[in-house]
Amino acid sequence: MAIPVLREELDAVLRPLLGSTLMDSCPLAEDLTQQIRTYAPYKQGLEEFRNSLERLLAALLHRYTHGSMLIVGDNYQPVQLGGEQVRRLTDEVMGVLFDKLTPFSANFLKLNDYSLRVQSLSALRVLVTRYASFYTEEELHFMAGIIRSIYPPARYEGWLPPTL
């Protein structure tokens, strides 16, 4: 069964990072939506899927920027896309997939295992917000401390409870 991801969901995640100029000029969100819909948990692990998604995203960005990997953000500032930006974009796109997973124990185990192997704020966000009942209070506080030590507040303020 295909993952029920909408192009608009990916557009909402990518547009703030890539800008309206690029997003309005190419079918990047549609291309990625089609790829995410192919994810089958019984065929492919999350890490393997993430790696193939990152390769696809890098290739699409290369194609849609005509090889320059240069975009103009909505603040009219040019941004040179590199490996770090592609990794973050991939993580944000994976976050859309993580949000679509039904929160039950098998998906918790896959997502928790993935978060231990791959530095993924999106995985941690979904674990904290949708799978909190699978953790003890101490484990949640530990995760919140890790998140706060690695990421700037702007990346987690909207979803990480200040009480954690």
Side-chain angles (χ1 to χ4, degrees):
M1 182 167 103
I3 300 293
V5 173
L6 301 175
R7 184 201 55 77
E8 294 81 10
E9 293 170 309
L10 286 172
D11 188 79
V13 165
L14 295 170
R15 189 171 292 271
L17 300 170
L18 293 174
S20 296
T21 301
L22 179 69
M23 294 305 295
D24 291 342
S25 68
C26 69
L28 180 63
E30 184 60 38
D31 294 340
L32 294 172
T33 300
Q34 290 175 13
Q35 182 67 19
I36 287 189
R37 287 178 180 164
T38 68
Y39 175 68
Y42 55 89
K43 287 184 183 177
Q44 195 173 32
L46 287 172
E47 192 170 357
E48 180 185 357
F49 184 74
R50 182 218 164 278
N51 291 342
S52 67
L53 183 67
E54 185 174 291
R55 287 189 300 274
L56 174 66
L57 180 56
L60 290 171
L61 288 169
H62 189 266
R63 178 186 315 152
Y64 294 141
T65 62
H66 306 287
S68 71
M69 296 296 280
L70 184 66
I71 61 165
V72 177
D74 287 341
N75 61 1
Y76 303 105
Q77 296 296 315
V79 176
Q80 183 71 46
L81 298 175
E84 185 176 325
Q85 290 85 3
V86 172
R87 279 186 292 282
R88 178 175 177 190
L89 289 165
T90 303
D91 188 49
E92 295 291 337
V93 170
M94 288 294 291
V96 175
L97 170 67
F98 299 153
D99 283 330
K100 297 296 181 174
L101 298 176
T102 304
F104 67 95
S105 59
N107 285 336
F108 165 74
L109 292 172
K110 287 178 187 177
L111 194 53
N112 189 62
D113 183 54
Y114 175 86
S115 74
L116 294 172
R117 291 191 323 272
V118 176
Q119 185 175 332
S120 171
L121 183 59
S122 292
L124 293 173
R125 174 185 56 79
V126 171
L127 287 168
V128 168
T129 60
R130 298 190 66 215
Y131 294 86
S133 64
F134 288 83
Y135 292 106
T136 66
E137 195 67 29
E138 294 80 24
E139 290 169 328
L140 286 170
H141 282 283
F142 178 77
M143 286 173 58
I146 295 292
I147 292 166
R148 287 187 179 100
S149 70
I150 296 174
Y151 300 99
R155 300 267 319 267
Y156 59 78
E157 282 177 332
W159 57 266
L160 187 63
T163 56
L164 279 183

